[in-house]
């Protein structure tokens, strides 16, 4: 089977040894090299030094003679340094500028000239070009409580010259403020909300930073779900949007996350109703916390949350709209981290000194994707993690977050600096790939005939039968009826073809009739089967909510517990004064008792009841429903608390795993041949996940329905092939390290939609070569012509030969590999060492 690319093609070699650690490592970038050809002779992996992902490190604190411990300050990152400005030390406000070099881990006072901003705290600082800009804040003498006032001045600090300059802006200015949010986007400084000394704000202003002689402040006309007036909150920019999380909003502190579209200047509250019970919830409401953006993630740390100072690190995935609490690596320690033994050659992996460890890394990183289950690691000792704090500051350099200062327990200011290693593997595209298959209807082999109007919706047998048992039974019944019809036709002589065997024909889709389902809600249900998601109802659109109610009714009928819970949460979150009567009436009509109960309780609330009964819609309700509302108001039912666990059903990943492991065997329609051994599979799934299979099945279909499997000129092992199928069916990336060598080139060869598998293969090899498996990896490296890994395995074997020689798998090696080992021993070991080795054996 000719492939679209070679068996490898990434330049570079094995440039370093394999470092220890039980956690995934930050790996060098892996880009597809589309210029490589089938003539590439061997595979190179280009390893380099690695840092454990999700690792906290405590760095040298700032000495008092350099700068005071502080809070309410700002930090910014420029090149390889962190700059700290302002804040307060508990007695006085500050306006010094400190510099922390992340390579040397050293502190100093930054060089400055000119007039700096007055001492202040709760100001903002951003970097644009080669300058830092400081805006606003609170100034005065906090010790004597005199001359305290907010500012709206703007200062520039040039990193190259150390020059401070105040920008004098003509025209209308933002009201003086502190504890606001600020960021840079599209050559402009953007200011949002804050506190003006009397009230909290939620206005937005922007100013161009390219030319101070012609620039001016502009107030932004915001629209959409604008956050309430607030202060002491962070902002971060990700995916060309600005995000605001929590903060102080008068007496009410919420844990809402809002996003602002710069282009349309529209705010949107990010819904959390799609998070099923049992999923990680958003962080607690808080203020005085930090939030930074890295890749597609937002990281929230610290702050004051309901009179506590939590120190968990929360992560929000912007693409998947899910929250996760990051589990710190077990070696998140200041020093003396316990690292599991690794079979590494001492000459090649000399340990880095403490001050360098963790800073010699590659330019790009990969990390964990929270849509895929990974093993939870036990947290390290709490004393080695940053303690809970508020009014600290954070910045990002390369692939790490740096946190400095803040107020810790007993109102003590901190001078500590911590470093957190990010992770960012290419995201899992499983849901997107299946969603794209649903939208295109390509390779559909199933057609549902729905309702009295007999509307038609296409689908794929493999996915629908894997996700829904009720529909699976319907499909099997329809298939059995069709087979019976064909058998009857064959007996009567109508089914036989006139000629002999010819080219394979595309069969007509299997028709399945479902009278109780209308096309529109059924299409939403189908979208859920493919993606595990449904579209959130638009705010204020009653028809959207009523549609989801119809979907909910189908979910109950089809026994889809996960979809049932999603719909229930969506509808309950969407009920408001404008639509509650319509939703209640529809719930009564559809006999959705749980939803009806929710609506009745909403209506009879003290703050709602009078408004609801004055509406025109109330007059049009059925008399029985009006009576029920009145009685509910007069005699509210006693509150009952149920400890019964809610069934949230199975996920797309769980269902596709079961499909691959045997549940989908009855619906296989393609046979994959691995070295002559057949493996039944599903065309639609292979096509959804691989552009290679998609192109093959679109252009032609093998007459016998069989496809030979290889990766370039190499046939993978049976074990590696099963690992690849697990990745294709449900996104699994855990595999034995020897499989990783076979599959390293598979993403390129088979045209997976990103290089996620490749990144995990590299990480797996880097962290898992041990004395126990080095011979298996040597065999795989030899078979795949991964010469750099083969050399590395031979090097390990030579230096650990006393242990390797006792492995039973040594005798099973081919003669050629045994000769390679003997040659390596002869090359690297002296006569004296050879004699000692013989004595040991």
């Amino acid at each position: 089977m000719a492939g679209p690319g070679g068996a490898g093609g990434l330049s570079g070699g094995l440039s370093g040894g394999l470092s220890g650690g039980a956690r995934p490592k930050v790996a060098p970038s892996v880009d597809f090299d589309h210029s490589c050809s089938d003539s590439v002779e061997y595979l190179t992996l280009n390893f380099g030094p690695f840092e454990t992902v999700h690792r906290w490190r405590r760095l040298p604190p700032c000495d008092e003679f350099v700068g005071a411990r502080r809070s309410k300050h700002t930090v910014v990152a420029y090149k390889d340094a962190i700059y700290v400005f302002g804040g307060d030390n508990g007695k006085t406000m500050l306006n010094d500028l400190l510099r922390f070099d992340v390579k040397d881990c050293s502190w100093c006072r930054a060089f400055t000239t000119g007039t700096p901003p007055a001492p202040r705290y709760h100001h903002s600082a951003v970097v644009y070009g080669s300058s830092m800009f400081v805006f606003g804040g609170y100034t005065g003498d906090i010790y004597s409580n005199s001359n305290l006032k907010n500012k709206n001045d703007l200062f520039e600090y040039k990193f190259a010259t150390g020059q401070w300059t105040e920008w004098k802006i003509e025209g209308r200015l933002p009201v003086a403020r502190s504890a606001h949010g600020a960021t840079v986007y599209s050559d402009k400084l953007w200011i949002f909300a804050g506190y003006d000394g009397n009230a909290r704000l939620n206005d937005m202003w922007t100013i161009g930073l390219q030319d101070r002689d012609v620039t001016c402040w502009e107030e932004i006309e915001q629209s959409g779900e604008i956050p309430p007036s607030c202060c002491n909150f962070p902002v971060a920019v990700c995916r060309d949007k600005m995000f605001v999380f929590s903060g102080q909003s008068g007496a009410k502190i919420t844990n809402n996350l809002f996003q602002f579209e710069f282009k349309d200047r529209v705010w949107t509250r990010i819904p959390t109703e799609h998070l099923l019970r049992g999923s990680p919830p958003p962080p607690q409401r808080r203020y005085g916390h930090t939030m930074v953006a890295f890749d597609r993630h937002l990281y929230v740390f610290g702050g004051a949350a309901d009179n506590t100072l939590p120190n968990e690190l929360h992560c929000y995935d912007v693409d998947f709209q899910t929250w996760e609490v990051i589990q710190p690596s077990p070696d998140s320690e200041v020093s003396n981290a316990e690292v599991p033994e690794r079979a590494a050659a001492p000459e090649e992996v000399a340990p880095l000194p403490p001050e360098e460890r963790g800073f010699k890394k590659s330019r790009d990183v990969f990390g964990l994707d929270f849509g895929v289950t990974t093993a939870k690691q036990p947290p390290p000792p709490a004393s080695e993690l940053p303690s809970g704090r508020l009014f600290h500051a954070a910045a990002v350099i390369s692939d790490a977050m740096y946190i400095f200062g803040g107020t810790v327990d007993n109102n003590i200011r901190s001078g500590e600096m911590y470093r957190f290693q990010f992770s960012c593997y290419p995201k899992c595209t499983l849901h997107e790939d299946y969603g794209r298959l649903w939208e295109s209807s390509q390779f559909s082999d199933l057609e549902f005939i729905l309702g009295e109007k007999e509307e038609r919706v296409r689908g794929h047998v493999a996915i629908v039968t894997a996700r829904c048992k009720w529909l699976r039974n319907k499909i099997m019944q329809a298939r059995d009826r069709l087979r019976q019809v064909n058998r009857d036709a064959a007996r009567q002589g109508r089914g036989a073809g006139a000629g002999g065997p010819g080219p394979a024909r595309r069969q007509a889709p299997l028709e399945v009739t479902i009278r109780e389902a209308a096309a529109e809600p059924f299409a939403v249900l189908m979208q859920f089967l493919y993606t595990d998601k449904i579209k959130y109802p638009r705010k204020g659109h009653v028809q959207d909510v009523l549609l989801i109610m119809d979907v909910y009714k189908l979910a109950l009928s089809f026994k889809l517990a996960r979809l049932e819970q999603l719909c229930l949460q969506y509808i309950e979150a969407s009920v408001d004064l404008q639509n509650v009567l319509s939703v209640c009436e529809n719930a009564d009509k559809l006999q959705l008792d749980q939803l009806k109960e929710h609506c009745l309780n909403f209506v009879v609330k003290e703050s709602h009841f009078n408004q609801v009964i004055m509406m025109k819609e109330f007059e049009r309700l059925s008399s029985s429903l009006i009576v029920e509302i009145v009685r509910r108001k007069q005699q509210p039912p006693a509150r009952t608390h149920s400890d019964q666990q809610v069934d949230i059903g199975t996920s797309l990943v769980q269902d596709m795993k079961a499909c691959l492991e045997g549940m989908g065997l009855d619906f296989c329609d393609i046979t994959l041949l691995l070295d002559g051994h057949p493996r039944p599979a599903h065309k639609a799934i292979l096509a959804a996940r691989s552009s290679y299979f998609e192109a093959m099945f679109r252009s032609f279909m093998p007459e016998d329905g069989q496809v030979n499997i290889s990766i370039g000129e190499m046939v993978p092992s049976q074990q590696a092939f099963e690992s690849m199928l697990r990745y294709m069916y449900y996104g699994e990336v855990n595999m034995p390290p020897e499989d990783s060598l076979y599959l390293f080139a598979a993403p390129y060869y088979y045209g997976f939609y990103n290089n996620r598998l490749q990144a995990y293969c590299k990480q797996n090899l880097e962290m898992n070569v041990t004395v126990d498996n080095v011979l298996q990896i040597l065999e795989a490296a030899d078979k795949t012509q991964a010469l750099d890994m083969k050399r590395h395995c031979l090097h390990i074997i030579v230096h650990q030969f006393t242990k390797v020689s006792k492995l039973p798998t040594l005798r099973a090696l081919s003669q050629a590999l045994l000769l390679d080992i003997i040659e390596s021993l002869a090359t690297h070991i002296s006569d004296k060492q050879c004699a000692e080795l013989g004595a040991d054996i």
Side-chain angles (χ1 to χ4, degrees), residues 96-126:
D96 53 345
L97 183 63
L98 311 179
R99 183 182 187 275
F100 179 77
D101 189 300
V102 300
K103 287 188 173 180
D104 300 335
C105 287
S106 61
W107 285 94
C108 67
R109 294 183 182 180
F111 172 75
T112 64
T113 184
T115 304
R120 63 190 62 205
Y121 63 61
H122 281 326
H123 52 285
S124 60
V126 299

Side-chain angles (χ1 to χ4, degrees), residues 372-643:
V372 174
T373 303
T374 55
K376 295 285 187 182
Q377 300 289 343
S383 60
E384 307 299 350
L385 302 175
S387 60
R389 60 196 61 214
L390 76 161
F391 300 139
H392 51 290
V396 174
I397 292 183
S398 183
D399 50 15
M401 173 177 68
Y402 295 82
I403 286 177
F404 175 70
T407 301
V408 294
D409 286 337
N410 299 318
N411 208 28
I412 296 172
R413 269 55 173 179
S414 169
E416 299 167 313
M417 175 72 83
Y418 287 89
R419 178 188 188 278
F420 177 78
Q421 178 64 56
F422 286 128
S423 61
C424 188
Y425 288 102
K427 71 176 183 178
C428 177
T429 61
L430 183 77
H431 302 74
E432 294 176 9
D433 292 345
Y434 287 149
R436 189 166 48 245
L437 181 70
W438 153 249
E439 290 171 2
S440 69
S441 295
Q442 199 170 30
F443 310 115
S444 59
D445 52 2
L446 180 63
E447 192 166 59
F448 292 100
I449 303 173
L450 305 165
E452 299 300 325
K453 297 180 181 179
E454 296 193 347
E455 296 176 278
R456 294 175 180 256
V457 172
R458 302 291 288 266
H460 301 83
V461 169
I463 293 178
V464 174
T465 54
R467 301 284 343 254
C468 180
K469 292 180 181 178
W470 192 91
L471 289 175
R472 177 190 177 99
N473 291 335
K474 280 280 189 181
I475 290 169
M476 292 181 72
Q477 292 168 11
R479 189 178 65 175
D480 291 344
R481 284 195 297 270
L482 181 62
R483 286 174 177 172
Q484 185 62 47
V485 168
N486 289 339
R487 283 194 293 268
D488 293 344
R491 280 197 297 267
Q492 296 173 20
R494 298 197 305 268
R505 297 177 181 175
R506 293 190 183 275
Q507 293 184 341
L510 177 68
E511 294 185 348
V512 178
T513 301
I514 304 178
R515 295 297 181 193
E516 58 266 50
E520 191 176 9
F522 188 82
V524 176
L525 180 145
M526 288 287 285
Q527 185 182 41
F528 164 81
L529 296 183
Y530 284 72
T531 66
D532 248 3
K533 294 185 291 188
I534 57 176
K535 190 174 181 181
Y536 188 74
R538 293 170 295 174
K539 188 175 180 65
H541 287 70
V542 178
Q543 292 306 315
D544 284 10
V545 181
L546 298 182
L547 172 61
I548 300 300
M549 292 180 71
D550 290 336
V551 178
Y552 178 50
K553 180 74 172 178
L554 289 180
L556 291 171
S557 300
F558 295 176
K559 296 178 172 55
L560 286 168
R562 191 176 186 86
L563 179 58
E564 176 190 333
Q565 289 300 317
L566 270 178
C567 291
L568 193 60
Q569 292 176 200
Y570 273 45
I571 298 164
E572 289 180 355
S574 302
V575 169
D576 55 28
L577 288 170
Q578 282 67 47
N579 64 29
V580 64
L581 294 178
S582 298
V583 174
C584 186
E585 194 172 27
N586 200 45
D588 187 49
K589 175 184 172 184
L590 297 175
Q591 297 181 331
L592 303 177
D593 295 335
Q594 190 171 346
L595 271 181
K596 179 182 173 183
E597 189 72 15
H598 175 79
C599 292
L600 290 174
N601 290 334
F602 183 93
V603 168
V604 300
K605 274 187 178 180
E606 199 67 41
S607 56
H608 299 159
F609 185 72
N610 289 338
Q611 296 180 66
V612 171
I613 63 174
M614 297 303 293
M615 293 178 178
K616 290 288 185 185
E617 292 85 350
F618 185 78
E619 299 173 10
R620 293 193 288 267
L621 287 181
S622 66
S623 56
S624 60
L625 204 52
I626 291 176
V627 169
E628 204 166 347
I629 291 172
V630 172
R631 287 177 176 171
R632 176 64 58 94
K633 179 64 177 173
Q634 293 300 318
Q635 290 183 322
R639 289 190 177 184
T640 57
H641 178 72
S642 174
D643 292 329

Side-chain angles (χ1 to χ4, degrees), residues 700-750:
F700 68 95
M701 182 64 201
E703 292 185 10
D704 56 1
Q706 296 184 340
V707 176
N708 287 303
I709 293 297
S710 66
I711 301 175
E713 301 300 318
M714 182 269 299
V715 176
S717 68
Q718 182 68 39
Q719 180 178 270
F721 175 57
E722 290 297 328
S723 291
M724 185 175 79
L725 284 180
R726 288 195 296 273
Y727 174 78
M728 294 182 74
Y729 270 68
Y730 57 95
E732 176 64 71
V733 290
N734 294 323
M735 66 187 75
E738 53 269 27
D739 291 5
S740 297
L741 267 175
Y742 286 110
L743 299 183
F744 183 79
Y748 173 79
Y749 186 83
Y750 284 109

Side-chain angles (χ1 to χ4, degrees), residues 27-337:
S29 61
V30 186
D31 296 321
F32 293 140
D33 182 0
H34 295 285
S35 64
C36 70
S37 66
D38 290 328
S39 64
V40 175
E41 294 181 355
Y42 62 89
L43 181 66
T44 56
L45 303 177
N46 192 27
F47 286 119
F50 292 79
E51 168 70 300
T52 308
V53 300
H54 295 171
R55 183 176 187 176
W56 283 103
R57 290 182 182 274
R58 185 180 180 186
L59 304 179
C62 183
D63 291 320
E64 288 288 343
F65 70 85
V66 176
R69 300 178 180 186
R70 65 193 67 206
S71 69
K72 306 170 191 170
H73 52 286
T74 55
V75 303
V76 299
Y78 180 70
K79 294 186 176 178
D80 291 321
I82 297 288
Y83 290 82
V84 180
F85 176 74
D88 83 84
N89 62 7
K91 296 180 180 179
T92 60
M93 296 186 185
L94 307 169
N95 70 339
D96 53 345
L97 183 63
L98 311 179
R99 183 182 187 275
F100 179 77
D101 189 300
V102 300
K103 287 188 173 180
D104 300 335
C105 287
S106 61
W107 285 94
C108 67
R109 294 183 182 180
F111 172 75
T112 64
T113 184
T115 304
R120 63 190 62 205
Y121 63 61
H122 281 326
H123 52 285
S124 60
V126 299
V127 170
Y128 174 73
S130 58
S131 296
M132 174 177 70
F133 289 86
V134 173
F135 172 79
Y138 199 52
T139 65
D141 188 342
I142 55 175
Y143 185 76
S144 63
N145 201 30
S146 61
N147 299 320
L148 298 174
K149 59 181 179 179
N150 286 298
K151 304 286 284 185
N152 60 356
D153 49 3
L154 179 63
F155 282 82
E156 177 184 11
Y157 173 79
K158 293 184 180 293
F159 292 108
T161 63
Q163 179 72 43
W164 279 108
T165 307
E166 182 176 4
W167 282 32
K168 299 292 186 181
I169 310 298
E170 300 293 334
R172 189 160 166 251
L173 304 178
V175 64
R177 68 191 66 204
S178 58
H180 53 279
T183 191
V184 169
Y185 182 80
S186 187
D187 302 317
K188 293 180 178 180
L189 169 65
W190 299 74
I191 302 293
F192 175 69
Y195 182 67
D196 68 1
N198 297 308
R200 293 171 179 86
L201 311 167
N202 69 344
D203 58 340
M204 182 181 290
W205 293 75
T206 187
I207 185 172
L209 299 178
Q210 290 180 303
D211 188 347
R212 70 175 181 177
D213 294 328
V214 298
T215 193
C216 63
W217 283 101
E218 173 194 359
E219 185 172 10
I220 299 299
E221 186 176 339
Q222 307 168 78
S223 61
E225 299 173 279
I226 304 172
S229 56
C230 56
C231 64
N232 289 321
F233 60 91
V235 302
V237 173
C238 183
R239 295 282 198 264
D240 294 317
K241 301 178 181 69
M242 180 173 73
F243 291 85
V244 169
F245 175 71
S246 201
Q248 287 178 297
S249 301
K252 185 179 180 182
I253 305 171
T254 70
N255 67 341
N256 283 328
L257 177 67
F258 293 88
Q259 72 177 22
F260 177 74
E261 297 267 5
F262 286 103
K263 182 181 178 182
D264 300 324
R265 302 184 175 184
V266 175
W267 283 100
T268 307
R269 185 185 71 87
I270 304 295
T272 56
E273 289 74 30
H274 64 286
L275 302 176
L276 284 174
R277 295 175 177 88
S279 301
Q284 286 175 270
R285 59 184 187 175
R286 62 191 63 206
Y287 67 92
H289 50 294
T290 55
M291 180 170 68
V292 300
F294 179 74
D295 189 65
R296 67 179 189 275
H297 297 120
L298 303 174
Y299 292 86
V300 173
F301 178 79
D306 295 332
N307 299 318
T308 65
L309 295 177
N311 72 335
E312 303 94 353
L313 181 63
H314 296 263
C315 178
Y316 178 76
D317 189 312
V318 173
D319 291 345
F320 287 97
Q321 294 192 345
T322 54
W323 285 98
E324 182 85 1
V325 176
I326 300 296
Q327 298 297 318
S329 69
D331 54 351
S332 290
E333 301 183 10
V334 180
S335 60
N336 301 322

